[in-house]
């Protein structure tokens, strides 16, 4: 029987460096749709953090909207590609190579946090990540989060095929009880995000505010 820490979750940097090794952008260069729909909640010059930002599609797009953007990811290959994407689009992003557990999370620093498809996290890592996110938001700051629900196990068009990593509405309400939920939507949609997320998908989107 497989131990929970076997497989792709045992060496996240190595696993993701291999996934990002190609010339293409695995999840494309356009921003995630849930983020695009909700980014107007932040005003230009406000400070936003992109958690596990991958190849930079979300951070670069937010920076081009006039936001001050910090971003980190555990994969140095991804962050190198993100830096190149920012250069080609003349966008300023403060990138770092770091994992959830070793990022230098500032406290009450961000007007927003974007956590888009961060379901690499098992329940224990997810608890630590959500605690960091909540503490890093200023009072009034907004979390914009996108993930997959358990129905995604039938579709297999993206995301980890591991039930405990997926989100449900009650789970997010409980895990993020320190935030006021502004919007929480369980829905299905066609997703076209590079070759990594493609096809009919069972999604969940959340917007929540720190008190
Ligand atoms: C599905 S991708 C999403 C990337 C990006 N948020 C996007 O929407 O394009 C998941 C990302 O999480 C990163 N990652 C995996 N484990 C991590 C960890 N423990 N800490 C920080 N980043 C991690 C991977 O390198 C990868 O870029």
């Amino acid at each position: 029987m497989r131990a929970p820490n076997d497989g792709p979750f045992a060496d996240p940097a190595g696993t993701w460096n291999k996934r990002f090794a190609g010339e293409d952008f695995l999840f494309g260069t356009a921003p995630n749709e849930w983020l695009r729909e909700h980014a107007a909640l932040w005003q230009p010059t406000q400070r936003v953090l992109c958690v596990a930002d991958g190849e930079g599609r979300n951070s670069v797009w937010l920076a081009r909207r006039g936001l001050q953007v910090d971003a980190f990811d555990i994969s140095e290959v991804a962050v190198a590609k993100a830096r190149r994407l920012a250069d080609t689009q003349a966008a300023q992003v403060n990138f770092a190579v770091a994992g959830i557990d070793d990022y230098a999370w500032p406290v009450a620093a961000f007007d927003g946090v974007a956590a888009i498809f961060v379901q690499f996290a098992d329940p224990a890592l997810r608890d630590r990540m959500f605690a960091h996110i909540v503490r890093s938001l200023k009072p009034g700051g907004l979390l914009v989060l996108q993930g997959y629900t358990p129905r995604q196990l039938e579709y297999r068009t993206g995301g980890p095929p591991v039930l405990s990593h997926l989100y449900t509405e009650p789970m997010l309400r409980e895990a993020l009880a320190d935030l006021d939920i502004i919007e929480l939507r369980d829905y299905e949609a066609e997703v076209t995000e590079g070759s990594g997320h493609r096809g009919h998908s069972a999604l969940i989107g959340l917007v929540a505010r720190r008190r």
Side-chain angles (χ1 to χ4, degrees):
M1 196 170 126
R2 259 177 51 154
N5 281 335
D6 276 358
F9 305 112
D11 173 20
T15 299
W16 283 96
N17 280 339
K18 278 192 209 116
R19 286 186 188 157
F20 289 130
E23 282 298 306
D24 288 351
F25 282 71
L26 185 57
F27 303 108
T29 54
N32 165 258
E33 187 58 24
W34 181 261
L35 178 66
R36 203 184 56 73
E37 279 175 27
H38 294 89
L41 293 167
W42 298 310
Q43 305 308 310
T45 78
Q46 285 195 311
R47 187 174 177 203
V48 172
L49 172 68
C50 292
V51 173
D53 182 51
E55 297 161 303
R57 65 188 178 120
N58 296 317
S59 59
V60 168
W61 182 78
L62 289 171
R64 285 188 52 83
R65 289 179 59 86
L67 293 157
Q68 274 187 75
V69 183
D70 294 81
F72 71 91
D73 196 280
I74 204 165
S75 161
E76 67 265 26
V77 172
V79 175
K81 286 169 87 173
R83 288 185 201 280
R84 288 200 293 278
L85 182 66
D87 285 348
T88 58
Q89 300 205 13
Q92 300 282 329
V93 176
N94 182 27
F95 289 113
V97 176
I100 297 297
D101 285 324
D102 57 319
Y103 181 62
W105 295 86
V107 174
F110 297 111
D111 301 291
V113 172
I116 306 299
F117 294 122
V118 292
Q119 291 175 306
F120 53 81
D122 63 18
L125 179 57
R126 182 170 68 224
D127 284 350
R128 299 196 296 280
M129 175 173 69
F130 283 176
H132 282 303
I133 288 174
V134 170
R135 277 197 300 268
S136 75
L137 283 165
K138 295 176 186 171
L142 291 170
L143 167 63
V144 173
L145 174 134
Q146 167 97 96
Y148 291 109
T149 67
R151 284 195 311 281
Q152 181 64 8
L153 296 176
E154 296 165 29
Y155 301 140
R156 303 240 168 180
T157 49
V162 185
L163 181 63
S164 63
H165 289 225
L166 303 178
Y167 303 157
T168 64
E169 287 191 38
M171 186 274 274
L172 287 179
R173 282 188 196 282
E174 189 184 332
L176 295 167
D178 290 338
L179 302 179
D180 288 329
I181 308 277
I182 311 291
E183 190 176 350
L184 181 53
R185 197 186 330 152
D186 179 329
Y187 63 105
E188 300 203 359
E190 297 303 313
V191 173
T192 308
E193 298 185 335
S195 59
H197 294 155
R198 181 163 287 263
H200 191 77
S201 305
L203 300 165
I204 193 160
L206 169 134
V207 178
R209 179 179 285 122
R210 185 169 180 190
R211 293 182 194 110

